[in-house]
Amino acid sequence: MKKTILFSTLLMSASLLAQKKNVTMEDAVLGLSTNLRIENLNQVQWIPNQNAYTQNVKTSYGEALIKKEVPSLKTDTIFRSSQFENKRIPSLNWINDKQAYYSTKTGYKTITTAGQQTDWLKLPDNAENIEFDATNNQVGYVIDNNLFFVDKAGKTHQITKDGKYEIVNGKSVHQNEFGIHKGIFISPKGSLVAFYRMDQTVVTDYPIIDWSVQPAVNKNIKYPFAGTKNHTVTLGVYNPATQKTTFLETHPEVDHYLTSVTWSPDEKHIYIALLSRNQKHLELNQYDAVSGKLIKTLFKEDDAKYVEPQNELHFIPGKTNEFVWWSQRDSFMHLYRFNTAGKLLNQITKGDWIVTDLVGENAKKKEFLIMTTKDSPKDRHLYAVNWENGKLRKITTDAGTHNVSVSSNGEYAIDNWSNDNTPRKIDVLDANGKFKQNILTAQNPLTNYNTAKVENVTLKADDGTDLYGKLIYPTNFDSSKKYPVIVYLYNGPHAQLITNRFPATGNLWYDHLAEKGYVVFTMDGRGSANRGLKFEQAIHGNVATTEMNDQMKGVDFLK
């Protein structure tokens, strides 16, 4: 009898194993956004100035946007899909705790929590680089490289008229390097509009082939190769009241980059980091927003290899004369508190790890909520840090990669995270570690699939630096056999392949290769991101050699 039960159990196990699917090429390329999409929640976001978040849910009468108060989790319905034209809850952007805006086929509308809807504005179909100042009912946008602005009275201002292929207004500049991600900067109170103007007349054309159409066509872009002439960038300030534009005196004849553009909270000044073209010298300057005059240089940063600013200034809550500056001056990206006289007040964070994001603040406790690599370069965790004394508190506890949004007062957070074996969890928690409520534990979409065995490995570079990698075994691996190996790498700046997130392989393409009988090896060598300046700068002036040396350590390991 026991033998029969054992035999039946083995047959059932074999049957279940046989029923598992292989990861197809289509699954590998499209699966995580289609049939293998990881379960998530819709429109989970904090309501401004409330300890409450929203969530889009399905009901018997259609969709509803509900509000959940924290920590009680008391639930109320804010909107129903029947209130909207297409009977769906649109993607809402909160203006304040009682009003949001959303896009329609014909423009943008606002809606209050009382249900009152108003037509807000309609933009031309060819508008791009749209920058909203919803608090003041204003918006900036670009058409044909010219900048337009709709003020709070609904009047449209054409700020520039010289836009063309060679002259670009209101767009991101410098190939989006140095943390630059937009070209329109509306002042905090909405009184003024700053914008980039890029003159690339002297820059040579570079052909780009558009393969998405048949036949393929060539589209030229302006690209300043090393050793060739660079574009000239200036920053203009437009006053809608006077309809006048003033350009800041950033000395356009100098070959440099304008980065970290930041308004002062009182709108009197604009701060710009001027970075030399060889990236070895940076100075943070303060300009008068009305006259455009340079007031002073607050401080300078120099590095024999390169300085790489990545963030704007962040003013201390309630202060117009104190701000946070991001810097790698001690070899790791950390936060520094300065005053507007240029005096360093204190280094807020320090250690052999980096700050990756500043996600919130608690003015009462004088704390910033930050994401860091303090626990592991492969993980991301939420910490609170006091901006005066640097006292640090860890908030998230589960190993993995955490993506966090923080309430306006910095007291609560929504934590959307995963690790190698956890597809997704979403938790609501407080910053003091006293409250934690799971609101989603996603099912593993790969449960019925044959997935590869993954081994995390740590090797040593020739200078003793730890190198993190993953060894992915072929399906039905037999240690007595030899297998073909694919080494997948990208050691370039701002790239990181080895992280503690789902899926464990890092990429379903690797699972597909494993099913085809390949060993896959991938490792972050020196030059890649989130390991500090020494690790990143190891490839400076020596790209191919250092990268190859590190990857050969992996090949030696495989042998």
Side-chain angles (χ1 to χ4, degrees):
M1 182 66 178
K2 289 182 180 179
K3 289 182 179 180
T4 303
I5 292 173
L6 178 61
F7 182 67
S8 299
T9 302
L10 290 172
L11 282 176
M12 286 176 64
S13 299
S15 176
L16 288 171
L17 187 64
Q19 291 174 4
K20 286 203 170 187
K21 305 174 185 177
N22 288 332
V23 176
T24 66
M25 183 178 292
E26 185 176 1
D27 292 331
V29 176
L30 302 175
L32 289 178
S33 59
T34 55
N35 60 304
L36 298 178
R37 182 186 292 113
I38 300 168
E39 183 183 2
N40 203 354
L41 299 178
N42 191 14
Q43 293 210 56
V44 175
Q45 56 181 319
W46 291 104
I47 299 175
N49 303 314
Q50 289 190 21
N51 287 334
Y53 66 90
T54 62
Q55 182 181 338
N56 189 334
V57 299
K58 292 182 179 180
T59 71
S60 58
Y61 52 80
E63 292 179 349
L65 190 76
I66 62 172
K67 177 177 85 169
K68 289 193 174 183
E69 297 179 7
V70 180
S72 68
L73 297 183
K74 177 185 174 183
T75 302
D76 290 308
T77 298
I78 306 177
F79 303 123
R80 296 186 177 187
S81 55
S82 57
Q83 295 175 257
F84 299 92
E85 292 178 7
N86 61 357
K87 308 306 178 186
R88 297 287 303 273
I89 301 288
S91 179
L92 295 169
N93 302 276
W94 289 95
I95 300 171
N96 52 51
D97 59 349
K98 293 181 173 58
Q99 188 179 37
Y101 73 90
Y102 66 96
S103 64
T104 69
K105 292 180 180 180
T106 58
Y108 293 85
K109 284 189 174 185
T110 62
I111 184 169
T112 67
T113 51
Q116 182 179 358
Q117 298 194 51
T118 306
D119 289 327
W120 176 24
L121 58 88
K122 184 181 186 306
L123 298 181
D125 293 338
N126 56 343
E128 54 183 343
N129 291 75
I130 301 169
E131 183 72 19
F132 287 104
D133 173 25
T135 302
N136 298 296
N137 288 323
Q138 302 183 128
V139 62
Y141 59 91
V142 175
I143 294 178
D144 296 332
N145 288 338
N146 277 316
L147 176 61
F148 294 79
F149 181 70
V150 181
D151 65 22
K152 60 186 67 178
K155 180 181 178 180
T156 300
H157 302 248
Q158 182 170 352
I159 297 176
T160 68
K161 296 182 179 180
D162 60 349
K164 52 184 177 180
Y165 175 56
E166 295 85 2
I167 306 293
V168 180
N169 296 288
K171 291 185 178 181
S172 180
V173 296
H174 304 319
Q175 281 71 52
N176 302 313
E177 298 287 353
F178 319 119
I180 297 170
H181 59 278
K182 65 179 183 178
I184 304 171
F185 309 87
I186 302 173
S187 62
K189 300 174 185 178
S191 305
L192 301 166
V193 184
F195 62 95
Y196 280 128
R197 179 185 185 275
M198 179 169 62
D199 184 343
Q200 48 187 4
T201 306
V202 299
V203 180
T204 55
D205 286 341
Y206 184 79
I208 297 292
I209 304 301
D210 181 2
W211 299 100
S212 66
V213 295
Q214 290 291 337
V217 295
N218 173 65
K219 293 182 179 180
N220 287 336
I221 64 169
K222 294 284 189 178
Y223 192 89
F225 283 89
T228 66
K229 291 184 178 180
N230 201 10
H231 48 243
T232 300
V233 173
T234 52
L235 196 84
V237 180
Y238 179 76
N239 186 333
T242 64
Q243 300 183 33
K244 301 289 186 181
T245 298
T246 301
F247 282 89
L248 304 187
E249 296 181 358
T250 52
H251 307 295
E253 70 277 6
V254 178
D255 203 8
H256 57 205
Y257 305 108
L258 305 186
T259 72
S260 306
V261 175
T262 308
W263 279 99
S264 64
D266 59 11
E267 301 186 322
K268 293 180 179 179
H269 305 115
I270 294 178
Y271 296 84
I272 303 178
L274 268 65
L275 180 67
S276 62
R277 192 177 181 191
N278 65 10
Q279 296 180 233
K280 298 180 187 297
H281 176 75
L282 175 145
E283 56 185 47
L284 181 65
N285 290 343
Q286 180 190 48
Y287 297 88
D288 185 286
V290 176
S291 69
K293 298 287 185 183
L294 170 66
I295 298 175
K296 63 177 175 291
T297 297
L298 278 70
F299 56 78
K300 300 178 180 181
E301 287 193 5
D302 296 281
D303 190 277
K305 293 182 177 178
Y306 57 80
V307 182
E308 191 178 15
Q310 288 294 314
N311 297 276
E312 301 163 357
L313 283 64
H314 184 96
F315 275 83
I316 301 293
K319 300 278 189 179
T320 60
N321 64 339
E322 292 183 14
F323 62 88
V324 173
W325 174 251
W326 298 65
S327 176
Q328 299 184 92
R329 58 180 64 190
D330 74 347
S331 296
F332 293 88
M333 184 63 83
H334 282 299
L335 308 181
Y336 295 78
R337 185 166 66 109
F338 281 86
N339 66 20
T340 51
K343 180 183 178 182
L344 175 62
L345 302 178
N346 63 292
Q347 182 176 348
I348 300 172
T349 59
K350 60 183 65 176
D352 294 348
W353 46 274
I354 70 169
V355 179
T356 60
D357 290 288
L358 197 166
V359 295
E361 56 197 23
N362 186 323
K364 291 181 180 179
K365 293 185 177 181
K366 297 183 178 180
E367 286 184 335
F368 288 126
L369 285 299
I370 58 175
M371 305 304 298
T372 83
T373 63
K374 189 176 188 303
D375 297 80
S376 165
K378 296 186 287 185
D379 286 12
R380 296 292 180 275
H381 278 285
L382 176 66
Y383 278 79
V385 61
N386 185 286
W387 61 66
E388 289 186 347
N389 60 29
K391 185 177 179 181
L392 200 64
R393 294 188 296 107
K394 186 178 180 182
I395 299 175
T396 52
T397 56
D398 297 281
T401 300
H402 295 257
N403 294 290
V404 176
S405 64
V406 176
S407 61
S408 298
N409 59 14
E411 294 180 358
Y412 294 93
I414 296 171
D415 178 21
N416 189 327
W417 63 276
S418 76
N419 58 33
D420 284 353
N421 302 307
T422 305
R424 173 178 281 117
K425 283 191 176 183
I426 302 179
D427 300 318
V428 180
L429 44 87
D430 72 354
N432 296 316
K434 297 179 180 179
F435 171 82
K436 182 176 179 179
Q437 176 70 47
N438 177 258
I439 58 174
L440 174 69
T441 298
Q443 297 297 312
N444 188 342
L446 301 175
T447 298
N448 296 321
Y449 283 77
N450 294 314
T451 54
K453 174 189 172 183
V454 180
E455 179 184 341
N456 290 301
V457 299
T458 302
L459 306 180
K460 295 286 185 182
D462 50 29
D463 66 352
T465 302
D466 284 341
L467 303 175
Y468 301 120
K470 288 186 177 184
L471 179 61
I472 300 162
Y473 289 86
T475 307
N476 301 318
F477 176 72
D478 183 345
S479 60
S480 66
K481 295 181 180 179
K482 288 185 177 182
Y483 291 88
V485 179
I486 292 176
V487 178
Y488 186 88
L489 69 141
Y490 184 82
N491 282 32
H494 302 283
Q496 184 182 18
L497 300 179
I498 308 302
T499 58
N500 185 7
R501 70 174 73 204
F502 189 85
T505 53
N507 190 326
L508 292 186
W509 176 244
Y510 303 155
D511 290 277
H512 179 66
L513 291 173
E515 288 166 3
K516 297 298 183 182
Y518 290 94
V519 170
V520 179
F521 181 76
T522 179
M523 182 179 70
D524 287 328
R526 285 171 295 174
S528 56
N530 300 315
R531 295 289 303 276
L533 201 58
K534 180 182 177 182
F535 192 88
E536 293 175 9
Q537 288 187 341
I539 63 173
H540 182 263
N542 202 25
V543 173
T545 303
T546 302
E547 288 182 296
M548 185 58 72
N549 287 345
D550 287 356
Q551 293 302 323
M552 287 307 296
K553 294 292 183 182
V555 173
D556 292 341
F557 164 75
L558 291 169
K559 290 179 180 178

